[in-house]
Amino acid sequence: MTAGQELIFYIGTYGSEEENRIHWGAMDRGTGELRLLGGTAGIENPTYLDFDDSISVLYAASEKGESDVSAYSANLVNGELTLLNVQSTGSSGACHVSRTSSGKYLLTTGYSDGHISVLALEKDGRVGEITSKIKHSGRGLRDDRQSEAHPHSIFEDLLNQYIVVSDLGMDDVNLYRLEDGKLVTHREISLPPGSGPRHVAFHPSGKWVYGTNELNSTVTAYANDATFGDLKILQHISTLPEDVVMDSNTSSHLLVSPCGRYLYASNRGHDSIVQYVIDQEAGTLRAVNWVSSGGKTPRHFNILPDGFLLAANQDNGLIASYRIDPDTGNLVSTGYTLEVTRPVCICPVEKAKA
């Protein structure tokens, strides 16, 4: 592979700061072949990454007791990272990080202590001070996983109107307005008891939102009411085949294809990625295919340019490469894998487009 034919991507992992925890790899844009380029130590449990391609800065949430977020300047030729700064999130167990479209704010969730935080961003990408912090309070049905609030992800919606927070512990999806860097409570959408909402993905039309529910292995389809700032539940659908009963399974990540025709979600336990067809009139889902995730415990995956998907299998350390069939959306294994210890996030430097 030559550099011009490759796409650089970053890999977040679980582990101590003494060893390389953020790795960078390259994918051949024609074949999906993968190779490891390098890595950096000095950060504990960088379990979620976000890349700002406008200034080539990578953000990494450090999921630990007193969490922080790190900003790195990225060399797009070889993937090398240079630390810009580290800033406390004011929370514990920060497991997600994302940015607002304005580039002014960084958003994080503290899974362990229930806090969600907003931090200012400098023009050069450095992370500034906390501008807002809210603590979720409540619980869900299950004593083992829902005895308290556990915000798991935080995103700005595609219309840049609301901040969407999935709280696994409370069985709620919370909508906030962001006013001058301050979070303002707007609306709360309740899921069936024991659902455990984890992540959301937005349809490129802006009309629909989809969310994985970790604890009951389902995906919820929502109609996005942009006028009143509400998510109307359209459907709950299993992430598992009809003939499979697996109480130990937990659903994890999900993404809408850039073309808007398909949704993918990962199963940990069944160790698969399910493909749904999205009804282009109603926004509802129909499951059409399951493929092996290529390893064990696919916590995360991402869609890369040129029609590829990479799945991060946490428990056996394999990143598996798939080609997305342009006609059917089916995932076809390329046969290429990459071995990295406990990979849990894939973050390319370039976004996939329709």
Side-chain angles (χ1 to χ4, degrees):
M1 290 189 289
T2 60
Q5 298 173 320
E6 293 181 315
L7 175 68
I8 290 173
F9 61 94
Y10 293 98
I11 307 161
T13 68
Y14 271 111
S16 69
E17 63 182 18
E18 281 74 34
E19 299 179 3
N20 284 351
R21 283 297 154 231
I22 301 176
H23 304 268
W24 44 95
M27 183 194 74
D28 186 291
R29 289 174 175 267
T31 66
E33 184 178 356
L34 307 174
R35 68 186 183 107
L36 196 61
L37 300 178
T40 187
I43 181 171
E44 180 182 352
N45 295 340
T47 58
Y48 211 89
L49 310 175
D50 187 50
F51 189 75
D52 186 339
D53 57 7
S54 68
I55 54 174
S56 298
V57 170
L58 181 77
Y59 298 99
S62 179
E63 187 178 339
K64 58 184 181 179
E66 294 182 3
S67 293
D68 48 46
V69 63
S70 299
Y72 299 86
S73 177
N75 182 323
L76 298 188
V77 176
N78 58 21
E80 293 280 346
L81 295 176
T82 302
L83 182 65
L84 294 175
N85 78 322
V86 180
Q87 185 68 263
S88 171
T89 63
S91 65
S92 175
C95 62
H96 193 250
V97 60
S98 65
R99 290 165 296 114
T100 60
S101 60
S102 67
K104 293 182 178 180
Y105 301 105
L106 194 72
L107 314 171
T108 70
T109 54
Y111 182 88
S112 299
D113 66 2
H115 281 105
I116 57 174
S117 305
V118 180
L119 298 96
L121 288 175
E122 308 297 336
K123 289 185 178 180
D124 66 355
R126 295 173 193 268
V127 185
E129 298 296 321
I130 296 172
T131 64
S132 185
K133 187 168 75 167
I134 287 180
K135 180 176 174 60
H136 283 189
S137 181
R139 61 159 297 152
L141 175 69
R142 289 179 47 168
D143 291 335
D144 59 338
R145 297 289 309 278
Q146 297 183 302
S147 62
E148 58 186 351
H150 291 303
H152 208 305
S153 65
I154 182 167
F155 295 95
E156 181 182 53
D157 78 320
L158 290 187
L159 301 178
N160 312 324
Q161 292 180 308
Y162 300 100
I163 306 300
V164 183
V165 179
S166 298
D167 195 306
L168 184 148
M170 295 173 61
D171 283 328
D172 286 334
V173 173
N174 297 269
L175 302 185
Y176 294 91
R177 300 187 305 277
L178 188 60
E179 300 177 355
D180 296 324
K182 303 296 182 184
L183 290 167
V184 179
T185 300
H186 178 76
R187 198 178 300 275
E188 199 173 272
I189 297 94
S190 295
L191 277 295
S195 295
R198 178 184 174 97
H199 269 250
V200 295
F202 303 94
H203 193 271
S205 69
K207 294 191 291 185
W208 305 299
V209 178
Y210 303 93
T212 43
N213 302 307
E214 176 174 331
L215 302 182
N216 68 359
S217 298
T218 62
V219 169
T220 298
Y222 305 88
N224 184 22
D225 185 340
T227 302
F228 295 100
D230 197 6
L231 298 178
K232 304 289 189 182
I233 294 174
L234 298 173
Q235 176 192 25
H236 305 297
I237 185 171
S238 178
T239 60
L240 294 170
E242 286 185 7
D243 59 348
V244 172
V245 178
M246 185 177 285
D247 292 339
S248 61
N249 186 78
T250 55
S251 62
S252 184
H253 197 54
L254 81 168
L255 283 176
V256 178
S257 62
C259 66
R261 292 186 292 163
Y262 310 108
L263 178 80
Y264 304 93
S266 59
N267 284 300
R268 297 173 297 180
H270 192 248
D271 294 336
S272 64
I273 299 175
V274 56
Q275 174 196 350
Y276 304 94
V277 171
I278 300 173
D279 186 302
Q280 297 299 297
E281 297 297 324
T284 51
L285 303 171
R286 177 171 56 89
V288 293
N289 197 32
W290 283 262
V291 298
S292 167
S293 66
K296 185 173 176 57
T297 317
R299 181 182 173 103
H300 191 262
F301 62 88
N302 216 328
I303 296 173
L304 278 66
D306 304 300
F308 291 95
L309 183 148
L310 301 184
N313 291 283
Q314 177 179 345
D315 286 346
N316 71 335
L318 280 183
I319 296 169
S321 166
Y322 300 84
R323 184 184 295 277
I324 302 173
D325 186 288
D327 296 321
T328 65
N330 289 356
L331 299 181
V332 181
S333 174
T334 65
Y336 296 114
T337 59
L338 195 63
E339 192 168 342
V340 173
T341 302
R342 302 186 75 190
V344 291
C345 187
I346 304 290
C347 184
V349 300
E350 183 184 325
K351 290 181 173 61
K353 298 175 183 175

